[in-house]
Amino acid sequence: MIVEKKRFSAESFHFEEADTAIPVSIGYETYGALSESRDNAVLVCHYFTGTGHAAGRYSPEDPAPGWWNSLIGPGKPLDTERFFVICSDTPANINFHNPKVITTGPATVNPLTGKEYGLLFPIFTLKDVVRLQKLLLESLGIPRLRLVTGPSMGGLQAFMWARHFPAEVEQVIAVCATPEIGPYGIMVPNQLGIDAIMLDPNFRNGDYYGKEPPYDGLLLAFKNLLMATRTEGWAERSFGRAHADSEYREYEDPRRSLKGKFLVEKEVEAMVKSRMQFFDPNSYLYIAKANTLFDLREGGESYEKALGHIEARTLMVIDKSDSMFTPAQAEKARRHIRDCRCAYYDSGNGHLSCIFEQGYLERYFREFLG
């Protein structure tokens, strides 16, 4: 599929917790055609470092398609001959400097001051993200969603949709996501990433635009994120205990120098740096903060009562090797969602299998959607 990034703008969007309204724009893409009855819409929500480019290519020359391309398209599990699929960028999208990403965030120029918002950008929640998506869908004339789905943070957004707009969501498929982030999930990898960036001397309280950005802190935050989403088995199979340089020309011997590196250090850093070219460190802070604030409970209600608001037919697809969203968390939630089942697979590679090993997911989508 050849796809096009489009823009949706709200002249004054109110962020609930911050109690602040500012102009906001986000990008979005659509795949397939909306039916005459407007009843075939599917919303795909992206993960932590993802974008609204979920499938297809912007041109035939693009080296790689969107991040869930094997699941979205003609004849695929999210069949675009059957469904009208939408995916949007989030506010404060981490990939702010990617020319194909449209997002309003801390790196955006504040029209009132003529300077980047920086840390004056309002703190937001995933509920705010979902409310903005709802405005986008209303602009497209879509009253109800056949399905909301997504991996990781995308799955958290799917639960937000089902909890706050139950009459407008028919089905949910949350992949490598459960409806709860506990105290461990607050810290790893979210708050540790925030701390790493803010401790970088170049952070300057978020006012680094036009200066050297806090890339060392961002690098550490992203390395922490990558390792939190993988497993011991993945690291052992990929790197073992090999040294980064057996000849010790590029890197010193880690047995004799604190500057020495193991292969796992070298390769993880290389993986991270290959993705960082478009990242804005402040935006990383805001997305990580939104994850720490994820909570379906409101007004002092219990976790069980919050899940009781969900009317959508629900499927959680969980990787047994995922240490971030576990089978135990899924089973705890399943008991309190009225129409819910869980499906499990074991990649041995951890949380990121929901992005890089989509073959595990296809059968569960096909079976659930019929």
Side-chain angles (χ1 to χ4, degrees), residues 97 107 115-118 200-216 218 279-282:
H97 300 294
K115 290 183 58 180
E116 293 84 357
Y117 281 102
D200 188 314
N202 289 327
F203 179 61
R204 300 182 182 88
N205 199 36
D207 187 21
Y208 53 78
Y209 299 106
K211 310 178 186 72
E212 183 68 25
Y215 279 141
D216 287 342
L218 178 62
F279 283 10
D280 170 56
N282 275 340

Side-chain angles (χ1 to χ4, degrees), residues 6-78:
K6 303 170 187 175
R7 177 185 293 268
F8 169 73
S9 297
E11 290 186 8
S12 180
F13 179 75
H14 182 257
F15 292 92
E16 282 192 349
E17 293 296 332
D19 195 21
T20 301
I22 62 171
V24 173
S25 293
I26 55 172
Y28 72 97
E29 297 176 13
T30 63
Y31 321 98
L34 187 62
S35 65
E36 288 187 10
S37 54
R38 301 180 179 272
D39 63 352
N40 67 332
V42 170
L43 179 66
V44 172
C45 305
H46 73 67
Y47 56 100
F48 188 100
T49 60
T51 73
H53 185 42
R57 287 175 164 84
Y58 294 121
S59 73
E61 294 74 34
D62 275 359
W67 49 267
W68 245 12
N69 190 69
S70 69
L71 298 178
I72 302 169
K76 297 177 182 179
L78 294 176

